[in-house]
Amino acid sequence: MLLHAFPFSSAMWLGQREGLASHCRVITPDLRGFGGSRLGDDQPSLDAMADDVAELLDAEGIDRAVIGGQSMGGYVTMALCRRHPDRVRAVILADTKAAPDTPEAAANREKTAQRVLSGETLADTVPNLVGSTTLTSRPMVLGRIRGLVQSAPPDAVAWASRAMATRPDSFDTLRSLRVPALVLVGEEDRLTTPADAEAMRDALPTAHLEILPKAGHLSAIETPESFNHSLTDFLTRLQQL
């Protein structure tokens, strides 16, 4: 199961649904308010998103799954590991981090929430989401990302921004995991850097880190072939355990 980044929907995983279909069953839900999902009336919380994922596993009749997430999806994955560790067969944490927001970062998320609720778009954030290689050499990818950002529902964007701002430190959660883990990060990621990925790798008892060349914060979209290759290798190793 792959959990999408902010402010996207499950549509971001098109390359993974196609690229991994011959290797495994791939489930890509829309997190609260994004894509085709309801936002509901709950207070902003990544825990609520994690509980949604557990309910989806119940609905699909799945006891345990490999759970992976990129950026915000990684935060939800860590919340799931904290709240429902028995549902996790292995974890994939891509372009995310275990540290909570600083006060400055949390304040910026509130500004983001207020911007979108007032009718502004987040189109100006796109250059920060991708690596320098994508900015200069992948116009089609850049256009797709911009379209996905502009189609995000404002209420969901504001809710998720506020949920991420209040997330806890997840390092203790990672230290307590007893399942295999794959940590991925784009070498050009400026939002959750390779240093953040190394810190997660070091906290996890059983983890493998891969740095994806010529990719930024959205490595699954920017370099889907490399991303999928890393996932396929990881899943193959899991089957051999």
Side-chain angles (χ1 to χ4, degrees):
M1 181 176 289
L2 296 175
L3 308 178
H4 62 80
F6 172 90
F8 302 97
S9 69
S10 61
M12 69 160 282
W13 295 118
L14 176 62
Q16 284 64 51
R17 289 199 295 266
E18 293 178 347
L20 301 174
S22 62
H23 300 279
C24 60
R25 180 185 179 190
V26 182
I27 302 173
T28 56
D30 289 315
L31 296 173
R32 281 194 176 218
F34 295 95
S37 67
R38 288 183 63 253
L39 181 58
D41 299 323
D42 294 319
Q43 290 297 309
S45 166
L46 295 177
D47 288 350
M49 287 182 167
D51 292 346
D52 291 342
V53 174
E55 290 179 8
L56 177 57
L57 290 173
D58 289 340
E60 295 289 334
I62 300 171
D63 291 330
R64 300 173 74 213
V66 178
I67 309 293
Q70 184 153 52
S71 188
M72 178 179 72
Y75 301 152
V76 179
T77 298
M78 286 181 269
L80 184 75
C81 290
R82 183 173 62 252
R83 295 175 65 81
H84 306 279
D86 57 315
R87 311 307 298 271
V88 180
R89 168 70 178 84
V91 296
I92 300 164
L93 299 171
D95 299 286
T96 190
K97 60 183 178 181
D101 272 358
T102 63
E104 179 183 6
N108 285 336
R109 292 200 195 276
E110 179 58 28
K111 290 177 183 177
T112 295
Q114 293 179 14
R115 281 181 58 195
V116 296
L117 291 176
S118 69
E120 293 185 45
T121 73
L122 298 181
D124 61 328
T125 66
V126 171
N128 293 326
L129 296 174
V130 300
S132 58
T133 302
T134 297
L135 278 174
T136 59
S137 307
R138 300 183 182 120
M140 297 285 288
V141 173
L142 200 59
R144 181 182 174 223
I145 291 171
R146 185 172 287 111
L148 289 170
V149 168
Q150 291 174 334
S151 66
D155 287 347
V157 172
W159 193 95
S161 292
R162 290 164 173 161
M164 289 187 289
T166 60
R167 73 185 189 280
D169 186 303
S170 291
F171 278 109
D172 283 345
T173 297
L174 297 186
R175 293 185 189 101
S176 69
L177 283 182
R178 294 297 180 266
V179 297
L182 173 65
V183 180
L184 297 175
V185 65
E187 69 171 346
E188 299 172 359
D189 189 341
R190 291 165 291 167
L191 297 181
T192 51
T193 65
D196 292 318
E198 290 169 358
M200 291 191 298
R201 186 269 319 276
D202 292 344
L204 287 157
T206 307
H208 175 67
L209 169 64
E210 291 190 28
I211 299 176
L212 302 177
K214 300 181 180 180
H217 189 60
L218 297 174
S219 57
I221 305 177
E222 296 176 71
T223 57
E225 295 85 2
S226 297
F227 191 94
N228 292 354
H229 180 75
S230 295
L231 263 61
T232 300
D233 282 353
F234 179 64
L235 295 171
T236 299
R237 292 195 299 270
L238 277 181
Q239 292 172 351
Q240 296 170 350
L241 294 177

